[in-house]
Amino acid sequence: MNSSGETAGRDHVLRELLALPDFLRLWLVGAFANAMRWLELLASGLFAFEVTHSALIVTAVVAARQLPQLFLGAFAGAISEAVDRKTIIMLALVIPAVISTLLATLATTGALHLWHVAVGNLLSGVMWTTEMSTRRRMVGEVAGPHRIVPAIALDSVTSAATRMIGPLLGGIAFQWLHMKGAYTVTALVQFGGAFVMTGLTHTQVTRRLALARIPSEILEGLAYARTRPVILLVFGITVVTNAFAYAYQGLVAPLGRGAFHVSPSLVGLLAAGEPLGALLGGTLLAGGIIRMSRQLTFAGGSGLFMVALMVMAVSPSYWLAFAVLVIGGFGSAGFSNMQSTLMLTEAPAEMRSRLMGMVTVGIGTGPLGVLTAGVLSDHVGPRDAVFIMAALGLAATIALAVALRRR
């Protein structure tokens, strides 16, 4: 097939996907909900830095939003195989919306304290654990087996866009509307998302929920994963990338305000640099312009991301740091696109939620990296902390890729 025919084929598949009402709902609701999560993460980090001027405290507040993924990700995956996934998604929207409403009310009355924000992040983070094993799985199911790769690619590109737009909005909202405005916006958007999800009609195959069986089902999934080097590669590099590379996100406020001395809006722009690159790179991948082995795209993308972080950490200027992060985003695009694609294509249907729940556990190691980076930053500064974490992550990524390739 010539290039014009391939382009026409991709456009046809995209039109097919967007013509599916259930796919459109899941895609758009995921986009808006994720944007609000990243908005709140940046706003909470800026608030913590404004109150304490401590990088460690900032990273602790940010980590609280992601920490539940480490402890509850596998449990959420097992639950989503038995409980109606539409109900899970709606709860994952409504509960954080209620929490945001409470925090906005406290901010409006002048009674908002840092511990309120930290607890709010933790509780909303519990519901975030369902994203990978519930909504992302449903995106693939609704698209169908023959459209699963472009569907996940489109969803991953959109996820990168939300990681760019969310921090930008978070910096602007914090600077102009303060915490009460930021949380009012996120509450309204999440309530709106829950309303849109009421129209979802996708049916799913479920089984009876047996809480006592969940531990054995998780172990069954792990036993299966041990026999599949590609799935082990996904697990291993997911842990390394989230623990060592994405740890920089917790230091965006200290980097922007303390190292580069820029405004909250420009802090938001710095946080949007890597997602901007991920959006551009993901678009090239989704359009078939960049074609590589899925495993190489996954592992190599992670490595490129970490190299970019190391260069950013020693950058003498804000704008150079921003540009390097954009380049690093091309690497994170390969990582994030293939993370879900490899799992959905390598895992059997009856184990997908469990295995993707374990990927969520791997993502949940990110807060441990964020906290470690925060401790390092208090001793050596945010620049050196980012450099050290990225260098360690790059070494671990290379070691994992070599070891599993031999298998």
Side-chain angles (χ1 to χ4, degrees):
M1 182 181 293
N2 58 35
S3 59
S4 61
E6 290 176 346
T7 301
R10 290 192 296 269
D11 290 344
H12 177 67
V13 170
L14 182 59
R15 287 195 297 271
E16 284 184 341
L17 286 171
L18 297 180
L20 298 172
D22 282 349
F23 177 85
L24 199 59
R25 282 190 175 86
L26 289 163
W27 174 54
L28 290 176
V29 167
F32 280 96
N34 280 322
M36 294 305 100
R37 289 168 184 145
W38 292 110
L39 188 159
E40 289 187 356
L41 271 177
L42 187 76
S44 62
L46 285 167
F47 180 70
F49 188 76
E50 187 178 79
V51 171
T52 67
H53 291 280
S54 167
L56 179 59
I57 297 299
V58 172
T59 54
V61 171
V62 171
R65 186 63 175 258
Q66 300 166 305
L67 195 60
Q69 294 177 328
L70 175 62
F71 298 104
L72 299 176
F75 181 81
I79 290 290
S80 69
E81 289 184 348
V83 177
D84 179 60
R85 287 189 277 278
K86 175 181 174 180
T87 301
I88 294 175
I89 293 176
M90 292 188 68
L91 288 174
L93 291 164
V94 171
I95 292 175
V98 171
I99 293 168
S100 297
T101 301
L102 293 174
L103 293 175
T105 303
L106 289 171
T108 301
T109 60
L112 183 68
H113 296 289
L114 190 56
W115 73 267
H116 294 139
V117 176
V119 171
N121 274 352
L122 184 66
L123 295 177
S124 294
V126 170
M127 304 312 301
W128 198 359
T129 62
T130 65
E131 165 68 13
M132 181 69 73
S133 58
T134 304
R135 192 196 66 83
R136 181 63 70 92
R137 172 179 176 169
M138 290 183 74
V139 166
E141 288 178 338
V142 168
H146 60 297
R147 292 187 293 243
I148 192 170
V149 172
I152 293 301
L154 177 60
D155 199 58
S156 295
V157 167
T158 308
S159 178
T162 65
R163 291 196 298 113
M164 176 185 68
I165 295 169
L168 279 173
L169 293 177
I172 294 169
F174 184 83
Q175 184 167 340
W176 294 100
L177 303 175
H178 307 293
M179 293 293 275
K180 60 183 178 183
Y183 279 108
T184 297
V185 169
T186 59
L188 290 174
V189 170
Q190 290 176 107
F191 277 128
F195 176 77
V196 170
M197 283 301 300
T198 59
L200 188 75
T201 59
H202 174 63
T203 57
Q204 66 182 70
V205 177
T206 59
R207 52 178 173 72
R208 188 173 64 85
L209 177 62
L211 293 176
R213 279 187 45 82
I214 287 179
S216 63
E217 289 171 353
I218 292 173
L219 291 174
E220 182 184 352
L222 285 172
Y224 177 82
R226 289 181 61 187
T227 67
R228 297 292 187 274
V230 173
I231 292 179
L232 288 178
L233 181 72
V234 174
F235 286 166
I237 293 185
T238 293
V239 169
V240 170
T241 304
N242 281 275
F244 291 95
Y246 284 115
Y248 92 95
Q249 292 174 335
L251 293 175
V252 168
L255 279 168
R257 299 290 278 164
F260 294 116
H261 308 291
V262 295
S263 68
S265 293
L266 286 181
V267 173
L269 181 62
L270 184 67
E274 176 263 320
L276 172 60
L279 173 61
L280 297 173
T283 300
L284 295 177
L285 286 168
I289 298 172
I290 296 178
R291 295 183 180 182
M292 298 169 59
S293 156
R294 291 177 183 175
Q295 292 95 318
L296 179 60
T297 302
F298 178 66
S302 176
L304 174 61
F305 179 26
M306 294 176 199
V307 169
L309 287 174
M310 294 166 65
V311 176
M312 182 275 291
V314 298
S315 169
S317 74
Y318 168 86
W319 291 109
L320 178 58
F322 172 77
V324 172
L325 279 178
V326 173
I327 295 172
F330 280 82
S332 69
F335 165 78
S336 60
N337 268 264
M338 294 306 149
Q339 183 184 57
S340 294
T341 299
L342 287 170
M343 290 302 298
L344 288 171
T345 54
E346 294 286 332
E350 66 274 11
M351 286 191 179
R352 279 178 189 160
S353 282
R354 269 176 283 177
L355 293 174
M356 293 188 78
M358 292 168 199
V359 173
T360 300
V361 172
I363 295 172
T365 60
L368 301 181
V370 166
L371 291 172
T372 302
V375 173
L376 279 173
S377 181
D378 273 1
H379 287 84
V380 300
R383 288 176 179 268
D384 288 344
V386 171
F387 186 92
I388 292 169
M389 295 293 288
L392 291 172
L394 180 61
T397 296
I398 294 172
L400 274 169
V402 170
L404 290 173
R405 182 175 176 82
R406 289 173 178 170
R407 286 192 58 179

PDB file of all heavy atoms in Angstrom, residues 218-233 235 343 348 351 355 358 404 407:
ATOM      1  N   ILE A 218      -4.307 -12.213  42.109  1.00  0.00           N
ATOM      2  CA  ILE A 218      -3.147 -11.359  41.856  1.00  0.00           C
ATOM      3  C   ILE A 218      -1.905 -12.222  41.680  1.00  0.00           C
ATOM      4  O   ILE A 218      -1.097 -11.996  40.765  1.00  0.00           O
ATOM      5  CB  ILE A 218      -2.964 -10.349  43.005  1.00  0.00           C
ATOM      6  CG1 ILE A 218      -4.130  -9.346  42.999  1.00  0.00           C
ATOM      7  CG2 ILE A 218      -1.625  -9.614  42.877  1.00  0.00           C
ATOM      8  CD1 ILE A 218      -4.133  -8.418  44.205  1.00  0.00           C
ATOM      9  N   LEU A 219      -1.755 -13.234  42.540  1.00  0.00           N
ATOM     10  CA  LEU A 219      -0.608 -14.132  42.427  1.00  0.00           C
ATOM     11  C   LEU A 219      -0.655 -14.927  41.119  1.00  0.00           C
ATOM     12  O   LEU A 219       0.383 -15.187  40.499  1.00  0.00           O
ATOM     13  CB  LEU A 219      -0.577 -15.091  43.625  1.00  0.00           C
ATOM     14  CG  LEU A 219      -0.252 -14.448  44.978  1.00  0.00           C
ATOM     15  CD1 LEU A 219      -0.393 -15.471  46.095  1.00  0.00           C
ATOM     16  CD2 LEU A 219       1.161 -13.863  44.969  1.00  0.00           C
ATOM     17  N   GLU A 220      -1.853 -15.300  40.690  1.00  0.00           N
ATOM     18  CA  GLU A 220      -2.011 -16.002  39.419  1.00  0.00           C
ATOM     19  C   GLU A 220      -1.536 -15.122  38.265  1.00  0.00           C
ATOM     20  O   GLU A 220      -0.851 -15.590  37.341  1.00  0.00           O
ATOM     21  CB  GLU A 220      -3.479 -16.386  39.219  1.00  0.00           C
ATOM     22  CG  GLU A 220      -3.748 -17.165  37.937  1.00  0.00           C
ATOM     23  CD  GLU A 220      -5.234 -17.433  37.734  1.00  0.00           C
ATOM     24  OE1 GLU A 220      -6.024 -17.154  38.656  1.00  0.00           O
ATOM     25  OE2 GLU A 220      -5.590 -17.902  36.638  1.00  0.00           O
ATOM     26  N   GLY A 221      -1.885 -13.830  38.311  1.00  0.00           N
ATOM     27  CA  GLY A 221      -1.437 -12.901  37.289  1.00  0.00           C
ATOM     28  C   GLY A 221       0.074 -12.747  37.287  1.00  0.00           C
ATOM     29  O   GLY A 221       0.711 -12.696  36.227  1.00  0.00           O
ATOM     30  N   LEU A 222       0.669 -12.689  38.473  1.00  0.00           N
ATOM     31  CA  LEU A 222       2.129 -12.574  38.569  1.00  0.00           C
ATOM     32  C   LEU A 222       2.815 -13.819  38.020  1.00  0.00           C
ATOM     33  O   LEU A 222       3.843 -13.724  37.346  1.00  0.00           O
ATOM     34  CB  LEU A 222       2.534 -12.360  40.029  1.00  0.00           C
ATOM     35  CG  LEU A 222       2.270 -10.966  40.615  1.00  0.00           C
ATOM     36  CD1 LEU A 222       2.539 -10.962  42.114  1.00  0.00           C
ATOM     37  CD2 LEU A 222       3.143  -9.924  39.919  1.00  0.00           C
ATOM     38  N   ALA A 223       2.237 -14.992  38.309  1.00  0.00           N
ATOM     39  CA  ALA A 223       2.823 -16.236  37.806  1.00  0.00           C
ATOM     40  C   ALA A 223       2.794 -16.263  36.275  1.00  0.00           C
ATOM     41  O   ALA A 223       3.751 -16.706  35.625  1.00  0.00           O
ATOM     42  CB  ALA A 223       2.069 -17.433  38.370  1.00  0.00           C
ATOM     43  N   TYR A 224       1.695 -15.786  35.695  1.00  0.00           N
ATOM     44  CA  TYR A 224       1.617 -15.733  34.238  1.00  0.00           C
ATOM     45  C   TYR A 224       2.647 -14.751  33.686  1.00  0.00           C
ATOM     46  O   TYR A 224       3.328 -15.031  32.697  1.00  0.00           O
ATOM     47  CB  TYR A 224       0.212 -15.309  33.809  1.00  0.00           C
ATOM     48  CG  TYR A 224       0.072 -15.170  32.306  1.00  0.00           C
ATOM     49  CD1 TYR A 224      -0.162 -16.278  31.510  1.00  0.00           C
ATOM     50  CD2 TYR A 224       0.207 -13.918  31.697  1.00  0.00           C
ATOM     51  CE1 TYR A 224      -0.268 -16.157  30.125  1.00  0.00           C
ATOM     52  CE2 TYR A 224       0.105 -13.790  30.312  1.00  0.00           C
ATOM     53  CZ  TYR A 224      -0.133 -14.910  29.537  1.00  0.00           C
ATOM     54  OH  TYR A 224      -0.225 -14.782  28.175  1.00  0.00           O
ATOM     55  N   ALA A 225       2.771 -13.589  34.330  1.00  0.00           N
ATOM     56  CA  ALA A 225       3.698 -12.559  33.845  1.00  0.00           C
ATOM     57  C   ALA A 225       5.134 -13.064  33.817  1.00  0.00           C
ATOM     58  O   ALA A 225       5.915 -12.697  32.932  1.00  0.00           O
ATOM     59  CB  ALA A 225       3.586 -11.310  34.724  1.00  0.00           C
ATOM     60  N   ARG A 226       5.485 -13.905  34.765  1.00  0.00           N
ATOM     61  CA  ARG A 226       6.861 -14.418  34.837  1.00  0.00           C
ATOM     62  C   ARG A 226       7.230 -15.240  33.609  1.00  0.00           C
ATOM     63  O   ARG A 226       8.411 -15.410  33.301  1.00  0.00           O
ATOM     64  CB  ARG A 226       7.038 -15.259  36.094  1.00  0.00           C
ATOM     65  CG  ARG A 226       7.042 -14.455  37.385  1.00  0.00           C
ATOM     66  CD  ARG A 226       7.252 -15.347  38.585  1.00  0.00           C
ATOM     67  NE  ARG A 226       8.526 -16.050  38.525  1.00  0.00           N
ATOM     68  CZ  ARG A 226       8.900 -16.995  39.387  1.00  0.00           C
ATOM     69  NH1 ARG A 226       8.068 -17.363  40.369  1.00  0.00           N
ATOM     70  NH2 ARG A 226      10.081 -17.582  39.276  1.00  0.00           N
ATOM     71  N   THR A 227       6.239 -15.744  32.889  1.00  0.00           N
ATOM     72  CA  THR A 227       6.512 -16.566  31.703  1.00  0.00           C
ATOM     73  C   THR A 227       6.564 -15.736  30.426  1.00  0.00           C
ATOM     74  O   THR A 227       6.805 -16.274  29.353  1.00  0.00           O
ATOM     75  CB  THR A 227       5.420 -17.646  31.539  1.00  0.00           C
ATOM     76  OG1 THR A 227       4.163 -17.009  31.223  1.00  0.00           O
ATOM     77  CG2 THR A 227       5.273 -18.450  32.814  1.00  0.00           C
ATOM     78  N   ARG A 228       6.325 -14.428  30.536  1.00  0.00           N
ATOM     79  CA  ARG A 228       6.264 -13.562  29.359  1.00  0.00           C
ATOM     80  C   ARG A 228       7.282 -12.429  29.492  1.00  0.00           C
ATOM     81  O   ARG A 228       7.027 -11.448  30.194  1.00  0.00           O
ATOM     82  CB  ARG A 228       4.849 -12.979  29.189  1.00  0.00           C
ATOM     83  CG  ARG A 228       3.774 -14.011  28.931  1.00  0.00           C
ATOM     84  CD  ARG A 228       3.965 -14.667  27.553  1.00  0.00           C
ATOM     85  NE  ARG A 228       2.859 -15.545  27.198  1.00  0.00           N
ATOM     86  CZ  ARG A 228       2.769 -16.807  27.536  1.00  0.00           C
ATOM     87  NH1 ARG A 228       3.723 -17.363  28.277  1.00  0.00           N
ATOM     88  NH2 ARG A 228       1.735 -17.543  27.153  1.00  0.00           N
ATOM     89  N   PRO A 229       8.439 -12.540  28.829  1.00  0.00           N
ATOM     90  CA  PRO A 229       9.467 -11.502  28.936  1.00  0.00           C
ATOM     91  C   PRO A 229       8.981 -10.104  28.563  1.00  0.00           C
ATOM     92  O   PRO A 229       9.414  -9.115  29.168  1.00  0.00           O
ATOM     93  CB  PRO A 229      10.550 -11.981  27.972  1.00  0.00           C
ATOM     94  CG  PRO A 229      10.388 -13.466  27.921  1.00  0.00           C
ATOM     95  CD  PRO A 229       8.911 -13.693  28.030  1.00  0.00           C
ATOM     96  N   VAL A 230       8.085 -10.005  27.589  1.00  0.00           N
ATOM     97  CA  VAL A 230       7.602  -8.678  27.188  1.00  0.00           C
ATOM     98  C   VAL A 230       6.812  -8.035  28.322  1.00  0.00           C
ATOM     99  O   VAL A 230       6.951  -6.835  28.610  1.00  0.00           O
ATOM    100  CB  VAL A 230       6.739  -8.769  25.910  1.00  0.00           C
ATOM    101  CG1 VAL A 230       6.097  -7.413  25.605  1.00  0.00           C
ATOM    102  CG2 VAL A 230       7.588  -9.212  24.728  1.00  0.00           C
ATOM    103  N   ILE A 231       5.972  -8.829  28.989  1.00  0.00           N
ATOM    104  CA  ILE A 231       5.203  -8.290  30.118  1.00  0.00           C
ATOM    105  C   ILE A 231       6.135  -7.919  31.261  1.00  0.00           C
ATOM    106  O   ILE A 231       5.958  -6.885  31.923  1.00  0.00           O
ATOM    107  CB  ILE A 231       4.137  -9.315  30.573  1.00  0.00           C
ATOM    108  CG1 ILE A 231       3.076  -9.470  29.480  1.00  0.00           C
ATOM    109  CG2 ILE A 231       3.481  -8.874  31.886  1.00  0.00           C
ATOM    110  CD1 ILE A 231       1.995 -10.472  29.794  1.00  0.00           C
ATOM    111  N   LEU A 232       7.158  -8.729  31.505  1.00  0.00           N
ATOM    112  CA  LEU A 232       8.147  -8.383  32.533  1.00  0.00           C
ATOM    113  C   LEU A 232       8.876  -7.093  32.173  1.00  0.00           C
ATOM    114  O   LEU A 232       9.181  -6.272  33.050  1.00  0.00           O
ATOM    115  CB  LEU A 232       9.151  -9.526  32.694  1.00  0.00           C
ATOM    116  CG  LEU A 232       8.648 -10.802  33.372  1.00  0.00           C
ATOM    117  CD1 LEU A 232       9.760 -11.846  33.411  1.00  0.00           C
ATOM    118  CD2 LEU A 232       8.156 -10.512  34.785  1.00  0.00           C
ATOM    119  N   LEU A 233       9.162  -6.898  30.890  1.00  0.00           N
ATOM    120  CA  LEU A 233       9.800  -5.663  30.443  1.00  0.00           C
ATOM    121  C   LEU A 233       8.911  -4.461  30.751  1.00  0.00           C
ATOM    122  O   LEU A 233       9.388  -3.430  31.231  1.00  0.00           O
ATOM    123  CB  LEU A 233      10.087  -5.730  28.942  1.00  0.00           C
ATOM    124  CG  LEU A 233      10.782  -4.504  28.334  1.00  0.00           C
ATOM    125  CD1 LEU A 233      12.241  -4.443  28.761  1.00  0.00           C
ATOM    126  CD2 LEU A 233      10.675  -4.513  26.809  1.00  0.00           C
ATOM    127  N   PHE A 235       6.560  -4.253  33.092  1.00  0.00           N
ATOM    128  CA  PHE A 235       6.561  -4.046  34.541  1.00  0.00           C
ATOM    129  C   PHE A 235       7.846  -3.353  35.002  1.00  0.00           C
ATOM    130  O   PHE A 235       7.812  -2.352  35.727  1.00  0.00           O
ATOM    131  CB  PHE A 235       6.429  -5.387  35.280  1.00  0.00           C
ATOM    132  CG  PHE A 235       5.046  -5.985  35.240  1.00  0.00           C
ATOM    133  CD1 PHE A 235       4.843  -7.302  35.598  1.00  0.00           C
ATOM    134  CD2 PHE A 235       3.956  -5.236  34.850  1.00  0.00           C
ATOM    135  CE1 PHE A 235       3.576  -7.870  35.561  1.00  0.00           C
ATOM    136  CE2 PHE A 235       2.687  -5.782  34.806  1.00  0.00           C
ATOM    137  CZ  PHE A 235       2.497  -7.107  35.164  1.00  0.00           C
ATOM    138  N   MET A 343       0.628  -4.321  26.895  1.00  0.00           N
ATOM    139  CA  MET A 343      -0.147  -5.106  27.863  1.00  0.00           C
ATOM    140  C   MET A 343      -1.438  -5.626  27.256  1.00  0.00           C
ATOM    141  O   MET A 343      -1.818  -6.784  27.443  1.00  0.00           O
ATOM    142  CB  MET A 343      -0.455  -4.251  29.098  1.00  0.00           C
ATOM    143  CG  MET A 343       0.761  -3.936  29.954  1.00  0.00           C
ATOM    144  SD  MET A 343       1.623  -5.418  30.547  1.00  0.00           S
ATOM    145  CE  MET A 343       0.349  -6.180  31.519  1.00  0.00           C
ATOM    146  N   PRO A 348      -3.849 -12.099  28.027  1.00  0.00           N
ATOM    147  CA  PRO A 348      -5.153 -12.673  27.680  1.00  0.00           C
ATOM    148  C   PRO A 348      -6.278 -11.849  28.298  1.00  0.00           C
ATOM    149  O   PRO A 348      -6.091 -11.199  29.335  1.00  0.00           O
ATOM    150  CB  PRO A 348      -5.093 -14.078  28.295  1.00  0.00           C
ATOM    151  CG  PRO A 348      -4.081 -13.976  29.398  1.00  0.00           C
ATOM    152  CD  PRO A 348      -3.077 -12.963  28.945  1.00  0.00           C
ATOM    153  N   MET A 351      -7.178 -11.810  32.007  1.00  0.00           N
ATOM    154  CA  MET A 351      -6.186 -11.324  32.969  1.00  0.00           C
ATOM    155  C   MET A 351      -5.812  -9.857  32.762  1.00  0.00           C
ATOM    156  O   MET A 351      -4.973  -9.333  33.478  1.00  0.00           O
ATOM    157  CB  MET A 351      -4.901 -12.158  32.887  1.00  0.00           C
ATOM    158  CG  MET A 351      -4.998 -13.526  33.486  1.00  0.00           C
ATOM    159  SD  MET A 351      -3.373 -14.305  33.616  1.00  0.00           S
ATOM    160  CE  MET A 351      -3.815 -15.858  34.381  1.00  0.00           C
ATOM    161  N   LEU A 355      -3.408  -7.622  35.249  1.00  0.00           N
ATOM    162  CA  LEU A 355      -2.053  -7.270  34.822  1.00  0.00           C
ATOM    163  C   LEU A 355      -1.893  -5.760  34.672  1.00  0.00           C
ATOM    164  O   LEU A 355      -0.855  -5.198  35.011  1.00  0.00           O
ATOM    165  CB  LEU A 355      -1.715  -7.990  33.520  1.00  0.00           C
ATOM    166  CG  LEU A 355      -1.589  -9.514  33.650  1.00  0.00           C
ATOM    167  CD1 LEU A 355      -1.393 -10.162  32.288  1.00  0.00           C
ATOM    168  CD2 LEU A 355      -0.435  -9.894  34.575  1.00  0.00           C
ATOM    169  N   MET A 358      -1.411  -4.300  37.943  1.00  0.00           N
ATOM    170  CA  MET A 358      -0.022  -4.396  38.401  1.00  0.00           C
ATOM    171  C   MET A 358       0.850  -3.331  37.742  1.00  0.00           C
ATOM    172  O   MET A 358       1.819  -2.849  38.343  1.00  0.00           O
ATOM    173  CB  MET A 358       0.514  -5.797  38.109  1.00  0.00           C
ATOM    174  CG  MET A 358      -0.147  -6.870  38.958  1.00  0.00           C
ATOM    175  SD  MET A 358       0.229  -8.532  38.371  1.00  0.00           S
ATOM    176  CE  MET A 358      -1.096  -9.455  39.140  1.00  0.00           C
ATOM    177  N   LEU A 404      16.429  -8.835  29.856  1.00  0.00           N
ATOM    178  CA  LEU A 404      15.215  -9.455  29.326  1.00  0.00           C
ATOM    179  C   LEU A 404      15.347  -9.794  27.832  1.00  0.00           C
ATOM    180  O   LEU A 404      14.693 -10.706  27.343  1.00  0.00           O
ATOM    181  CB  LEU A 404      14.007  -8.544  29.569  1.00  0.00           C
ATOM    182  CG  LEU A 404      13.603  -8.456  31.046  1.00  0.00           C
ATOM    183  CD1 LEU A 404      12.524  -7.422  31.265  1.00  0.00           C
ATOM    184  CD2 LEU A 404      13.130  -9.811  31.559  1.00  0.00           C
ATOM    185  N   ARG A 407      16.587 -13.246  27.622  1.00  0.00           N
ATOM    186  CA  ARG A 407      15.549 -14.264  27.858  1.00  0.00           C
ATOM    187  C   ARG A 407      14.759 -14.547  26.612  1.00  0.00           C
ATOM    188  O   ARG A 407      14.171 -15.614  26.450  1.00  0.00           O
ATOM    189  CB  ARG A 407      14.610 -13.810  28.981  1.00  0.00           C
ATOM    190  CG  ARG A 407      15.226 -13.898  30.360  1.00  0.00           C
ATOM    191  CD  ARG A 407      14.173 -13.724  31.424  1.00  0.00           C
ATOM    192  NE  ARG A 407      13.123 -14.724  31.306  1.00  0.00           N
ATOM    193  CZ  ARG A 407      12.089 -14.815  32.122  1.00  0.00           C
ATOM    194  NH1 ARG A 407      11.963 -13.962  33.126  1.00  0.00           N
ATOM    195  NH2 ARG A 407      11.168 -15.731  31.957  1.00  0.00           N
TER     196      ARG A 407
END
